[in-house]
Amino acid sequence: MKMSIPDFGAKPAVLRCARCGKFVDWDEARLQTVCACRPHLELPPVLVREATDLDRPAVRELFHRDFGRTKIVAFDEVLDVDAMPALVAVVHTDPSGALAYRLLGDALHIVALATDPMWQRSGVGGYLVVEAELLARRLNLARVVVGTTNDNLPALYFYQRRGYRLTAVVANSVVVHTHQQLAGFAGIPVRDEIRLEKLL
Ligand SMILES: CC(C)(COP(=O)(O)OP(=O)(O)OC[C@H]1O[C@@H](n2cnc3c(N)ncnc32)[C@H](O)[C@@H]1OP(=O)(O)O)[C@@H](O)C(=O)NCCC(=O)NCCS
């Protein structure tokens, strides 16, 4: 299928190689099984707070860099993460990760989550998700929901490790909304939306 909407271009999407530290695009990345031998590293404290107008350019850059766009297909909509409230994680003084969200019925919907590759596997994504869950509890919401794509095995792993359960597979949803077929993680075609939830 021909790529026609520039907003949905997948590159440069960046993960960090757990072995050599190199930054990789989605289609270059590979999955590996390892044991739990990695020691816990002492890393600088991560501060998570609501993003201000001053944080917006850095937050946009984080999403744009990881997803290649600021538009996300989720829950039958094309959502612009630029228009959503966001949490930002700061290490030292640098924005190291961001989580965009909205309210969706009785749930807080995590619309996008991205950690700067430099800070991946440092707890940043986990702290952002915990803060989003705290926010949902404060708002008396029943659930946190998130949509990811069929190729995104790291995200499916990440969320299930944190207690999220699969609720739906929306076959072909990404292709229908973007009119494109992109190569995702490890070159796997990005086709379907996979929804997960955590009951609070
Ligand atoms: C998915 C993603 C957000 C995860 O973010 P992250 O900041 O790397 O997540 P965390 O650091 O909290 O957790 C990752 C791993 O690092 C480990 N880790 C965290 N702090 C650590 C430390 N101090 N020492 C050693 N390991 C540590 C965690 O235990 C976890 O591993 P485990 O689940 O096997 O136990 C990130 O990979 C990303 O930005 N991906 C691209 C965008 C994306 O796919 N977003 C989600 C789609 S909605």
Side-chain angles (χ1 to χ4, degrees), residues 14-15 26 38-41 43 66-67 113-115 119-126 146-148 152 155 157-159 161-162:
V14 190
L15 295 166
W26 288 108
R38 186 179 192 239
H40 184 82
L41 308 173
L43 294 159
D66 269 22
F67 300 107
L113 170 67
T115 297
W119 293 106
Q120 285 175 16
R121 289 181 299 280
S122 306
V124 167
V146 63
T148 186
N152 199 342
Y157 170 87
F158 174 85
Y159 284 112
R161 286 272 290 156
R162 283 153 188 80

Side-chain angles (χ1 to χ4, degrees), residues 10 22 25 61 65-66 71 73-74 78 109 119 141 143 162 166 168 191 194:
K22 191 183 130 189
D25 277 325
E61 174 61 26
R65 187 171 182 186
D66 269 22
K71 295 213 168 76
V73 176
V78 178
H109 173 198
W119 293 106
L141 298 169
R143 307 179 296 143
R162 283 153 188 80
L166 268 63
R191 295 190 180 107
I194 300 192

Side-chain angles (χ1 to χ4, degrees), residues 83-116:
M84 311 266 158
L87 300 173
V88 63
V90 180
V91 180
H92 301 307
T93 53
D94 297 336
S96 55
L99 180 155
Y101 65 92
R102 65 170 178 160
L103 304 188
L104 184 65
D106 66 348
L108 182 143
H109 173 198
I110 298 176
V111 178
L113 170 67
T115 297
D116 183 321

Side-chain angles (χ1 to χ4, degrees), residues 77-194:
E77 287 179 67
V78 178
L79 301 165
D80 187 350
V81 287
D82 249 353
M84 311 266 158
L87 300 173
V88 63
V90 180
V91 180
H92 301 307
T93 53
D94 297 336
S96 55
L99 180 155
Y101 65 92
R102 65 170 178 160
L103 304 188
L104 184 65
D106 66 348
L108 182 143
H109 173 198
I110 298 176
V111 178
L113 170 67
T115 297
D116 183 321
M118 194 60 209
W119 293 106
Q120 285 175 16
R121 289 181 299 280
S122 306
V124 167
Y127 288 126
L128 282 163
V129 169
V130 165
E131 197 59 38
E133 291 167 1
L134 284 173
L135 176 61
R137 283 200 176 90
R138 282 202 295 276
L139 296 170
N140 282 323
L141 298 169
R143 307 179 296 143
V144 176
V145 297
V146 63
T148 186
T149 47
N150 61 292
D151 64 299
N152 199 342
L153 301 176
L156 288 166
Y157 170 87
F158 174 85
Y159 284 112
Q160 290 185 84
R161 286 272 290 156
R162 283 153 188 80
Y164 286 73
R165 297 182 64 167
L166 268 63
T167 53
V169 177
V170 189
N172 232 27
S173 162
V174 181
V175 179
V176 166
H177 284 96
T178 64
H179 312 291
Q180 293 181 50
Q181 189 155 295
L182 302 170
F185 182 81
I188 298 169
V190 184
R191 295 190 180 107
D192 320 308
E193 181 193 345
I194 300 192

Side-chain angles (χ1 to χ4, degrees), residues 3 105 168:
M3 294 200 181

